[in-house]
Amino acid sequence: MSSHPASAQDGSDGPSPPYTARSNASSGFNMFAFLPPMSSQGRRDDFASTYQEDSRLPSTRTGLPPTGTTATLESRDFPVTPPSAVPLENLTAYLGGVPPPASLPGTGSIPITSQTRPVTEPLQSVLETPSPRGPSSADPVPQTSPSYSYGTPIRSALQNSGVASLDYSQDSAPLPSGTPNKKQDSFYGSSEKDPEIAEAFSERDPGTPPASRGAQYPRLEDIDDGLDDSIYPEVRASVSNVDDPEMPVMTVRAWVIGLTLCLFTSGMNAFLNLRWPAPLLAPSVVMLISFPMGKLAARVLPIRYWTIPEQLPWIGGTEFSLDPAPFNVKEHTLICIMANITATSFVVGAAAVSEKRYGYTLNLGMQVLLNASSKLIGFALASLWRNVLVIPGSSIWPQNLVISTLLNSLHAEDGSRMGDGMSRRRFFLYVALGVLAYTFLPDKVVVNQLFGSVTGLGMGFLNFDWGQISYVISPLIVPWWALWQQFLGFVVFYWLIVPILYYKDVWKSGHLPIMGSSAYDRFAEPYSLKHVVTRDFTLNVTAYEAYSSVYLPISYSMTYFLGFAVPIAALVHTIIWQGPSIYKIMKGGQEEKLDVHARLMREYPEINMRWIWAIFIISFAGILGAFGIHKDVLPVWSAFIAMLIPIIWFVPATIIYSKTAATIPLNLYAQVFPGLILPSQPVANLVLKAVTLEITKTGTNFAQDQKLCHYMKVPPRATLIGKILPVDESIAIAYSLAAQAIAAMVVVVAQSGVQRLVFNIVPDACTPNQPNQIICSGLGVQFTSSLVWGLIGPRRLFGKNGIYRFHPYGILIGAILPLLPWLWHRRRPGSRFAGFHVPIVLAGPLGVPPATGINYSSWFLVGLISHLVRTRKPQRWLKYNYILSSALDS
């Protein structure tokens, strides 16, 4: 393998990845803030590039040629004939108040006709400096200069000079007086309150620009440059609307850091899940750790290029570098999505329960095959529904706004404050240190007794423990309309209905605790399974009838009732409200206009659906093969049962999650269906539930990762193709089937391997008195549920003779309730009742138990405070809300 230094060092003509910038508007973060200052020494040639016209978008990709070179500014087709020059003083308005450099060629004017001129150092310094707020691409030119529509030579000249990436952050300095900016007044409003936004994004006539602006828009399909940014202010404040398509993503550095952290965190999580207490290394920890690692790698790795020997097939002659450019936000994003699959696995947990509780050991190879196949099917489902779950701008994915805000704060604020006030990065540091200090405060016994939410009385409406406040999810990221409806569901079902049922002794619950998650016998004692289960883990029917049925606390019983109602309500709601849109998208149409992020992502090739179908089919064959290894307890045909729930409910559950951050739980269906079809088989019930939930969870997480990459402008294939070397595109497609599983396989092998290693080294693992606290307490819920649903069975609990025979009617109620607001909307479209989201109301309180009233009341109060701050201080809210949530969660 040969090597040669980068051209930045020796001035040779070797390959040097250019750094360019592309924008559809002057709004958004300044992408040049990602780059270090360009001095006469260092990597000037790494950022040197000539701009290239985008044939599809009305923007250009511009680069920064080094000092002494020339750049050509070309004219375009214009509706009017412009003058040959614009006075220098008028350029100040375009630069947001920054005066133009005095050393530009010409005497008091900027030439805008086709010509060649030198690019001087002062101009570069201006372009590299974060600019104040610039005018919108749709705003008219200030009255002191001739007014031209979009695409005139003056705007082309400014774009080709890099001015198209002016910073449009929410706290930047205002425009100079006299510079019109219609966007400024409505920047923090919604489409309902802003008629211009509503008109610009109206679906009735997508090709017509808003008449109020009076601009002549290009006749391009699906493009509306009157508002070249998201219509959602949360997205505008968190996501950049500019892109650098030449920014390296699939680098050796990113994959080494990402896979190393995946291996470490997944192994640690698999080990910690067996201990008590069982902490978890969250993906946010990986995000923070990887940032200094990437910066360090960019500093210490050599700036050299290596050539792969020509003798190697396909990749021979390819050049690569360990340090092609400074560590950037796209590499960081790639590491983050790899870390998002390092959480504990349902399949690995099921294997532990089967071995340590039932004495039935699942083959290690079968575990790896089943886990990997389940994850890949989840990947395939998310990719197949990408046009429904990722591309639409209305799928904002609130969780991703927190991640993108933190990523942009870590990278885009290098050397800049991004507006008035404290920078987001410093704000994040202060809050994170404050949270860390709070955890080390000494415990106050009296305070804990009075205000504690677990062992205390829970006095007060607010809890100061963020872990308890955000037990369901962070209230700072949930849209207000979804937050109050979820809390309304909790109040109705658990503060109104549950007390009435309890004191009426419905379902014989009056002699049990009103709140709890344990099962009881008829003596109000914890249910003892050893009385009804034989040594070979089969049900002793005679002993069961003599001992007792299973009784549940009224709060737990209400959770089961809602568990029947919520999934079918989500399915019906999605069919009647989003069904026509989904059908139109499946037929190749488009329901809503592409926002700026979708248009920027058109620069990159999409995922080949034939490979996705191949992954789906091969992975399902892997599940069939895994079931065939243990066909004595897992009939091969039962794999179709495990696939039934993800195929039916993946899209409805993920659509609701993407818009509201509310989870649609499928746990009950995943246990009841196998319990009905395979009665008295707890191991089969355990494994089928694990496969179903693993597919659904992985698919939802991967859809969220795709949206994050959509926001951060990471190529779609980069989220699937683990291509370490920059080979040809056709070769990358050929490698996709094997390479998509790289990160997932690392996690699967690490989790299964660590668990097997612990069981071999610690023979008494998962026993109550294990001296090192490896008691596997987290597996108790899976074991109990497999006994109840797989051994006792749903027929004995919910059948016609069961005490909870009313609960299955929740399916019928859940199917009817969504129809009421939909029918009301058809009769009175403007009614507020039409916006009632039934699945959100029903699913909101499903955190109970183990969540309690203090969790929900404090959660709602913090969300209410956040909403009030947003209405009164929208600029501050948009700047600090999501970074605050990120700091508190970290």
Side-chain angles (χ1 to χ4, degrees), residues 361-375:
T361 302
L362 298 178
N363 182 276
L364 181 61
M366 179 266 192
Q367 296 181 40
V368 173
L369 179 60
L370 188 62
N371 199 359
S373 299
S374 301
K375 290 183 182 296

Side-chain angles (χ1 to χ4, degrees), residues 529-549:
L529 289 171
K530 66 181 181 181
H531 289 95
V532 299
V533 178
T534 63
R535 290 183 178 271
D536 57 350
F537 293 98
T538 59
L539 180 67
N540 188 332
V541 178
T542 303
Y544 172 79
E545 293 175 350
Y547 172 49
S548 174
S549 298

Side-chain angles (χ1 to χ4, degrees), residues 51-189:
Y51 73 92
Q52 178 181 352
E53 192 68 26
D54 192 318
S55 60
R56 198 169 45 235
L57 304 175
S59 62
T60 57
R61 295 189 295 170
T62 63
L64 295 182
T67 304
T69 62
T70 60
T72 302
L73 308 180
E74 298 182 356
S75 300
R76 305 184 187 180
D77 297 331
F78 320 112
V80 295
T81 303
S84 60
V86 173
L88 267 176
E89 56 271 15
N90 294 336
L91 182 59
T92 302
Y94 284 96
L95 295 178
V98 178
S103 58
L104 284 174
T107 56
S109 64
I110 296 292
I112 57 176
T113 55
S114 298
Q115 58 180 302
T116 301
R117 62 172 176 82
V119 179
T120 58
E121 190 68 27
L123 177 59
Q124 283 190 335
S125 63
V126 169
L127 298 180
E128 293 166 7
T129 304
S131 307
R133 185 193 301 264
S136 167
S137 62
D139 292 333
V141 180
Q143 297 302 320
T144 54
S145 61
S147 178
Y148 303 117
S149 61
Y150 184 93
T152 54
I154 178 62
R155 191 169 302 280
S156 301
L158 291 171
Q159 287 183 333
N160 296 338
S161 300
V163 182
S165 59
L166 289 174
D167 183 35
Y168 200 76
S169 59
Q170 63 276 6
D171 280 330
S172 299
L175 284 172
S177 59
T179 304
N181 184 15
K182 296 182 179 180
K183 207 172 182 180
Q184 188 172 4
D185 297 333
S186 60
F187 184 78
Y188 305 104

Side-chain angles (χ1 to χ4, degrees), residues 63 92 140 184 245 309 399 450 458 547 595 689 726 729 810 816 828 886:
T92 302
Q184 188 172 4
Q399 302 88 336
L450 296 179
Y547 172 49
D595 63 359
K689 171 191 173 183
E729 187 69 31
I816 294 175
R828 297 184 178 180
S886 178

Side-chain angles (χ1 to χ4, degrees), residues 1 24 58 103 123 150 201 212 248 305 372 503 510 532 539 673 709 712 723 725:
M1 179 179 294
N24 288 75
S103 58
L123 177 59
Y150 184 93
F201 282 81
S212 58
Y305 283 86
Y503 293 112
V532 299
L539 180 67
F673 287 176
C709 293
M712 307 310 295
K723 161 173 70 114
L725 297 178

